[in-house]
Amino acid sequence: MEFWQGVRRVGFGTKRLAGPGSGSEVRAKAVSLVRRAVELGVNHLDTAAFYPTISPSDNVREMECLRWANEAVREALTSYDGDVVIATKVGALDRPLARPDELPGLVERELRDLGRDTLDVVYLRQQGLESVAEHFGVLAELRDKGLIRGLGLSNIKVHHLAQAQEIAPVVAVQNRYGVGFGRVNDELVRLCGEQGVAYVPYFALAGASRETGGVNTPDVVQQIAVAHDATPAQIRLAWTLSRGEHMLAIPGTSSVQHLAENLTAEFIHLSPTDIAALDAVPSS
């Protein structure tokens, strides 16, 4: 976890950065929200060129919605001189998986869109590969050239981590995981902890609802939230962090209020009884 030294355990994901609508007003609110996040102490932003954070409309074509989150992050941080780790992903754009020879171009596009000379973290988001070695090897070469600081993996199986570690150090894994969700990844969470690799779950709040958003709130989550005078989202995030010191959270929102609430989850102490009850929620 040396790579992540000094990084706050609750960061901010940009996938839900934009609220309803489109156009300059939504963009301005999104930029303002990113700025507010860093003002509140966030120093880990998670983004991707293939996050369609605004909806297509009569005036905005579908492909113009892509890269929107990256450009909003760049605009928000233009005059910011603090240290913020920006993690992004490559491997997908207009289809599930890019070819290895396409990855350098995707990394260069990320550099341009984010206005950076070096990308802090780049995840290879794999889809359907038995081996990630060829794709990950390309990213390792780009790291050696100074274009990337740290390499990560996303949407992987256990054996992919070992394949990548033989090529270059993996600093983070990003897979689905949350209360009652994605517990098939328990073994991967354990391995990452043993190897000093950060585990950065997605859909930690939405759970099985995934892309539809919202907060998945089983009865036990609601009950524990009431007992702690907290929100269900805060309880889900607190459980995520309880899985180990290597766990980092990246909740996304378009709400300033929810942003502030999510950040306080880091300071909620769940009792062993709370954790056992949340552990027992059936996984979907």
Side-chain angles (χ1 to χ4, degrees), residues 9 177 179 189 235-247 265 268-271 274-276 278-279:
R9 294 189 71 198
Y177 200 65
V179 175
V189 169
I235 296 304
R236 292 185 70 93
L237 292 172
W239 178 87
T240 295
L241 300 181
S242 78
R243 306 305 288 176
E245 292 297 320
H246 65 301
M247 301 294 288
I268 294 176
H269 177 71
L270 297 176
S271 70
D274 293 334
I275 292 173
L278 294 169
D279 286 350

Side-chain angles (χ1 to χ4, degrees), residues 34-74:
V34 174
R35 288 175 179 159
R36 183 57 181 155
V38 296
E39 287 172 0
L40 292 173
V42 169
N43 58 1
H44 173 202
L45 299 174
D46 182 87
T47 189
F50 51 84
Y51 282 175
T53 44
I54 57 175
S55 301
S57 67
D58 291 340
N59 298 319
V60 183
R61 294 176 299 174
E62 182 174 1
M63 288 305 295
E64 289 175 336
C65 297
L66 303 176
R67 301 165 62 187
W68 190 93
N70 282 356
E71 293 170 356
V73 168
R74 180 189 64 202

Side-chain angles (χ1 to χ4, degrees), residues 33-215:
L33 186 61
V34 174
R35 288 175 179 159
R36 183 57 181 155
V38 296
E39 287 172 0
L40 292 173
V42 169
N43 58 1
H44 173 202
L45 299 174
D46 182 87
T47 189
F50 51 84
Y51 282 175
T53 44
I54 57 175
S55 301
S57 67
D58 291 340
N59 298 319
V60 183
R61 294 176 299 174
E62 182 174 1
M63 288 305 295
E64 289 175 336
C65 297
L66 303 176
R67 301 165 62 187
W68 190 93
N70 282 356
E71 293 170 356
V73 168
R74 180 189 64 202
E75 183 177 345
L77 299 182
T78 296
S79 58
Y80 181 73
D81 58 3
D83 292 328
V84 178
V85 171
I86 300 179
T88 189
K89 286 165 282 294
V90 295
L93 189 58
D94 56 352
R95 59 188 183 282
L97 185 66
R99 300 187 310 270
D101 64 286
E102 293 176 305
L103 294 179
L106 293 179
V107 167
E108 290 171 2
R109 177 179 291 179
E110 295 284 334
L111 288 165
R112 290 194 302 270
D113 289 350
L114 290 166
R116 297 217 148 193
D117 297 322
T118 302
L119 297 172
D120 295 319
V121 179
V122 173
Y123 292 94
L124 170 66
R125 178 166 176 79
Q126 82 86 29
Q127 181 71 36
L129 293 174
E130 177 57 32
S131 173
V132 298
E134 186 176 4
H135 285 76
F136 194 77
V138 172
L139 295 184
E141 291 175 359
L142 297 175
R143 188 201 65 157
D144 293 342
K145 293 179 180 178
L147 299 181
I148 302 170
R149 283 184 58 222
L151 300 175
L153 295 166
S154 178
N155 194 41
I156 64 165
K157 300 183 184 301
V158 168
H159 69 276
H160 291 135
L161 178 59
Q163 292 169 351
Q165 291 279 47
E166 291 182 358
I167 298 169
V170 176
V171 303
V173 165
Q174 191 172 110
N175 271 33
R176 62 190 178 108
Y177 200 65
V179 175
F181 179 68
R183 297 296 299 279
V184 67
N185 287 312
D186 277 344
E187 175 67 6
L188 188 55
V189 169
R190 183 187 66 80
L191 287 173
C192 285
E194 291 177 353
Q195 297 179 27
V197 176
Y199 192 100
V200 190
Y202 53 79
F203 298 139
L205 296 184
S209 62
R210 294 177 173 85
E211 302 293 353
T212 59
V215 178

